[in-house]
Amino acid sequence: MQIRTPEFKESARIALHDVGLQKALGNVKNGFPGKRAAAMARLPEFDALRDQARDVKNHVIAHLDLYLEQFEAKVLENGGHVHWCRTSEDARQTILKICREQNARTVTKGKSMVTEEINLNEFLEQNGIQPIETDLGEYIIQLRGEHPSHIIAPAIHLNLEDVADTFHAHHHTPRSVDPKVLMQEARERLREKFAAADVGITGANFLVAETGSSIIVTNEGNGDLTQILPNTHIVVTSIEKVVPTLEDMTLFLRLLARSATGQECSVYNTLSTGGRRPGDQDGPENFHVVLVDNGRSDMVGNDFQDMLRCIRCAACMNHCPVYGAVGGHSYGWVYPGPMGSVLTPQMIGIEQGALLPNASTFCGKCESVCPVHIPLPKLMRHWREKEFEKHLTPRTARWGLGGWAFMARRPALYRKFSALSNAALRLMAGKKGYIRKIPMVGAWTDWRDMPAPSGKTFMQQWQEKQRSGH
Amino acid sequence: MNETIINQTTAKAPVVGLFVTCLADLYRPEIAFATVKLLELAGCKVEVPEQQTCCGQPAFNSGDRQTTADIARQTIEAFDGFEYIVAPSGSCIGMLHHYPELFERNDPWFERAMSLKSRAFEITQFLVDVIDFTAIESRFSGHVTYHDSCAGLRELGVKQQPRTLLQQLPGVKLTELVDSEVCCGFGGTFCVKYPDISNRMVSDKSTNIANTGADTLLGGDLGCLLNMAGKLKREGIRVDVRHVVELLADMTSQPPLASSSYDLATKV
C-alpha cells in the first residue's frame, strides 16, 4: 500500500468537504460510542477487567519470547507449522511459498489488518494468485480497489448508495438499495469462492500459548468458511497477539466485543488448534502460523512499548473527534485514528509519519476508552519529541516556539511581551471586542474571530493595585 | 477532606499562590481577579508570585522537553512554600501535574515536582473538593450551558465541581450541552496547525451550543472559551461566553468574551 501519510493535511481538507464521507462518518460517531457505553453499563466490573487486561498484557510483553516459544511448541505438537518473519517481505515470501506448494490459484481471506500491513493482496496478485476478501466490508472495498478506512469496519466510509453502485457495476445485477438483496448477492458470490479456494488466510485476534490455538472473532462467519474449507489454512498475525491461557483469552474477548461494537460477545468466536486430525470430519490438512514482527520487537523496551497492548478494538478511533472529522483514509496508511497515529510512525518512520501524532488536540478521549489503558496522548507526544529531536518540526513552528521559549524563561521580559501583545490586540480591535483578521494568524482568523483583551494584562493591573494599596 | 481538618485545627488562612495562566493574563484579567475574590471569600490568603510565566504546555506538546523542564523548574521555584497553587484552568493545572514526568526519579527536581503536583488545583476543584467552600453568592441570572474542557475533565476529574457551585446560584438555569465532553477543537497549537479540522470541531460545538437555547456559555478554560467565542461571533450566534468564575465571583459587569460595551449597548 502506497504511503500517503505526508499528504495528511491535504487529504483531510478534501475529506472535510466530501459530503458522502461526512454522512458515513456520522454513523461512526452516532453508533459505536453509544453502544459501547451501554455495554459497559451492563457490566459493572468492566473497569476492573480493563486493569486486569493491562496487567496481563504487560506481563506477556515482559516475557514475550517465552510465550511465543511456548505457542510455537504447541502448534508443532498439534501438527502445524510456525514461520517467524522479521519483515513484511519475509512474511510475503513465506506466504507465497506455502501457496505455491499448494499450486494455489485462489486464496480466500478473513479480515486481517496485518495482511494490509504487509501489503499481501497486491503481492499475491502480482504473483498470479487471486486473493478474495470474504468479510462483507472487505469484499466491498476490494471490488472498489480501496483499502480499509477503519480497523474493524473497513467500509465505514461508504453509504448504502455506494455499495448499491459498486455491486451493480461488478455483479451486473439490477441496482438495489435493499441491504438484504445486497447481502444475498455477496453471499452467493462468496459461497462459490469459499468452495473453490486452495488456501484460506485469516488473521488472529489472539494466540493462546498454552494450547497453540489462534482465535478469530467475526460477526459473519466468513472466517470459519475461510479456514475450514480449503486444504491449507494460514494464520497471518503479529507477535504481540499472544496471551498465556484460554482463560486470559476470555478476559480479552469480554473487553474486545464491548469496546469495539458494544456487543457482549462477537457472533462467531472460532479457535483453530492445528489442522485436521485423523478421524476429523473436516478442517484443513495443513495449518501454518506466520508470525510477523515488522518492528514490534523493537518496541519492547522503547518509549512505545505500551502500544503493544493494543487489541485492535477501534474504540480509540470510534471516539476520536479528529478521526470523526476526516475518516480513516486521510491517515494515508494502514492504521488510522489514535492507535494509528502511534503505530504508523513506528512502521513507516517518523520522517514520513510525523503529521499523525501531531493531529491530536490531546483531548484524552482515546485513552479514556482504551480497554487496555494505553496512554495514547502520551505516546503521540513521545513521537513529537522524536520529531523535535530530529529537527523535523517545520521551521516556522520551531522559530515561533524558540522565541516564545526564550521569553517564557525570563519572567520580566515575558511580562513586557505580554503587555505589548495585549496592547497590540486591543489596538487592532478598536472599539469592538473582537478582531476579524490578524496578519500571520490566518489559521485562526480565517475561521473565527479573535476575542480582544478586555483591558491591560492581569499582571499590570495587579501591580498597579498593589502599588496603590488596593 | 484532610486539608479542611488541618485548616480548621490550625485556624490559619491557607496561603494560596495564584497561577494566573498566560491566557487569562493576556486576554481576560477578570478571570484571575474573580479567582482571587473566590479564594479570599473562601478564607484564603492569595499571593501572585512574580516569577511565574507559562506552564510550559506549548513546549511540552511540541516535543521540546528541555524547554519544558526549564519552565517547570522556574514554576516549581516560583511556587515554593505555598500551601496550594490554584489556577482558573484545568489545562494549565493538568500541565503542572505532568511535571514529574520530566525528571528522572533520582533527580531532586522529581520530588519537588511531585510536591507541586500534590498542591496544584483547578479553582472549582479547589473550592469544592479541597476547602469545601460552596457558599457562593451572585446576582447573575440567566440561562447557561457548560462545556467540559478536556484536560480538566480527563486529567483532573473536573466535572461536578462547577455544577455544584452553579447550583448555589438561584438565578442560574443550566441546560446541559449535547456532547459537552467532546473537544471543542482548540488543542493549543492544534488549532493553527490543523485549522480545517479544528474548524470542523468548533463548528459542531457551536451548533450544539446554539441548540441549547442558552444565553450564556460557561467553561473553565480560557483557551477553549476563546475558540468557541471566536467561532460563535464569526457565525453570528448571539451567545455570551464567560469563564465560570466570573459568575461565581459575581463579576459579570464587564462584557462577555469577543464583545464590547458598545455591543452590549446596541444589543438592548
Side-chain angles (χ1 to χ4, degrees), chain A residues 8-9 12-13 16 22 29 321-322 325-326 354-356 358-365 368 378 381-382 384-385 388 401 404-405 407-411 414-415 418 421-422 425 431-436 443-459 461-463 465, chain B residues 18 20 22 24-30 32-33 36 48-54 56 58-65 67 70-71 74 98 101 150 154 181-183 185-187 190-202 204 226-227 229-231 233-234 257-260 262-263:
Chain A
F8 175 79
K9 286 189 182 186
R13 202 182 60 74
L16 285 164
Q22 291 299 322
K29 286 182 269 190
V322 174
V326 304
L355 285 174
L356 301 190
N358 279 288
S360 167
T361 62
F362 286 160
C363 78
K365 187 69 188 173
S368 77
K378 181 176 157 187
R381 189 182 296 112
H382 283 329
R384 298 186 191 183
E385 287 162 9
F388 189 83
L401 186 68
W404 168 86
M407 286 181 286
R409 284 179 292 198
R410 291 163 180 80
Y414 192 81
R415 277 197 295 280
S418 296
S421 311
N422 168 286
L425 285 165
K431 277 189 182 169
K432 300 189 312 258
Y434 61 91
I435 306 159
R436 196 111 290 181
W444 180 287
T445 55
D446 282 353
W447 302 107
R448 33 177 128 47
D449 293 330
M450 177 64 85
S454 55
K456 287 185 188 173
T457 69
F458 172 80
M459 284 303 200
Q461 296 189 37
W462 181 258
Q463 277 161 7
K465 281 197 179 200
Chain B
L18 176 73
V20 179
C22 342
D25 182 45
L26 179 64
Y27 280 97
R28 206 155 170 85
E30 292 84 357
F33 281 114
V36 173
V48 183
E50 290 217 349
Q51 289 305 302
Q52 62 178 301
T53 59
C54 166
F60 188 53
N61 287 345
S62 301
D64 182 355
R65 280 179 81 94
T67 299
D70 288 348
I71 293 172
Q74 176 178 286
H98 282 295
E101 295 167 32
C150 301
R154 282 182 273 270
E181 295 186 3
V182 173
C183 181
F186 174 62
F190 174 86
C191 69
V192 288
K193 282 194 291 189
Y194 298 85
D196 313 83
I197 303 173
S198 173
N199 176 55
R200 166 57 52 85
M201 290 162 72
V202 74
D204 291 350
L226 287 169
N227 182 36
K231 189 65 187 176
K233 176 60 90 181
R234 179 65 58 94
L257 273 164
S259 297
S260 62
Y262 172 77
D263 277 355

Side-chain angles (χ1 to χ4, degrees), chain B:
Chain B
M1 299 292 290
N2 289 338
E3 288 85 348
T4 320
I5 297 160
I6 294 162
N7 295 339
Q8 281 165 356
T9 51
T10 56
K12 201 180 78 192
V15 183
V16 174
L18 176 73
F19 190 62
V20 179
T21 76
C22 342
L23 289 179
D25 182 45
L26 179 64
Y27 280 97
R28 206 155 170 85
E30 292 84 357
I31 294 171
F33 281 114
T35 306
V36 173
K37 183 176 170 187
L38 286 166
L39 290 169
E40 287 177 348
L41 285 171
C44 303
K45 185 175 177 322
V46 183
E47 289 179 25
V48 183
E50 290 217 349
Q51 289 305 302
Q52 62 178 301
T53 59
C54 166
C55 63
Q57 194 168 175
F60 188 53
N61 287 345
S62 301
D64 182 355
R65 280 179 81 94
Q66 187 55 50
T67 299
T68 316
D70 288 348
I71 293 172
R73 280 186 285 264
Q74 176 178 286
T75 309
I76 291 167
E77 283 192 326
F79 288 92
D80 233 3
F82 285 96
E83 244 175 299
Y84 300 108
I85 298 94
V86 174
S89 161
S91 178
C92 308
I93 293 296
M95 182 61 219
L96 265 50
H97 283 215
H98 282 295
Y99 283 0
E101 295 167 32
L102 298 165
F103 305 104
E104 298 292 335
R105 286 188 174 246
N106 55 4
D107 184 335
W109 285 100
F110 176 79
E111 279 308 317
R112 296 181 74 181
M114 287 298 283
S115 161
L116 183 81
K117 178 178 174 176
S118 70
R119 292 177 286 132
F121 299 93
E122 183 271 346
I123 177 67
T124 64
Q125 183 187 38
F126 181 73
L127 294 175
V128 176
D129 297 344
V130 180
I131 54 169
D132 194 18
F133 175 78
T134 55
I136 302 293
E137 285 177 33
S138 176
R139 286 161 295 179
F140 181 88
S141 86
H143 183 188
V144 307
T145 190
Y146 201 92
H147 168 69
D148 294 292
S149 286
C150 301
L153 176 71
R154 282 182 273 270
E155 292 186 338
L156 305 174
V158 175
K159 175 75 188 183
Q160 281 311 315
Q161 299 89 333
R163 289 169 176 79
T164 301
L165 294 168
L166 286 170
Q167 276 167 14
Q168 313 302 315
L169 307 182
V172 168
K173 177 192 167 199
L174 173 71
T175 298
E176 290 291 354
L177 180 60
V178 169
D179 288 342
S180 73
E181 295 186 3
V182 173
C183 181
C184 72
F186 174 62
T189 54
F190 174 86
C191 69
V192 288
K193 282 194 291 189
Y194 298 85
D196 313 83
I197 303 173
S198 173
N199 176 55
R200 166 57 52 85
M201 290 162 72
V202 74
S203 298
D204 291 350
K205 185 59 77 177
S206 298
T207 305
N208 286 329
I209 293 165
N211 287 342
T212 61
D215 322 305
T216 303
L217 168 71
L218 300 175
D221 252 295
L222 185 52
C224 317
L225 293 171
L226 287 169
N227 182 36
M228 293 182 287
K231 189 65 187 176
L232 290 165
K233 176 60 90 181
R234 179 65 58 94
E235 295 199 339
I237 300 170
R238 306 203 81 166
V239 174
D240 290 351
V241 180
R242 291 182 186 278
H243 194 291
V244 67
V245 293
E246 297 174 39
L247 262 71
L248 299 176
D250 196 15
M251 288 173 66
T252 53
S253 58
Q254 80 285 4
L257 273 164
S259 297
S260 62
S261 45
Y262 172 77
D263 277 355
L264 284 181
T266 53
K267 197 171 167 180
V268 178

Side-chain angles (χ1 to χ4, degrees), chain A residues 169-183:
Chain A
H170 289 269
H171 293 165
H172 310 294
T173 47
R175 188 178 184 278
S176 169
V177 288
D178 181 349
K180 277 188 185 154
V181 172
L182 294 169
M183 195 109 83

Side-chain angles (χ1 to χ4, degrees), chain A residues 17 25 42 54 109 114 154 156 181 196 225 227 245 265 280 331 363 367 389 393 408 410 445:
Chain A
H17 292 97
L25 287 171
R42 289 192 298 267
R54 174 198 55 208
K109 284 186 68 210
V114 174
I156 199 82
V181 172
L225 295 172
Q227 66 187 44
T245 65
C265 189
D280 279 353
Y331 290 76
C363 78
E367 179 176 1
E389 282 164 19
T393 315
R410 291 163 180 80
T445 55

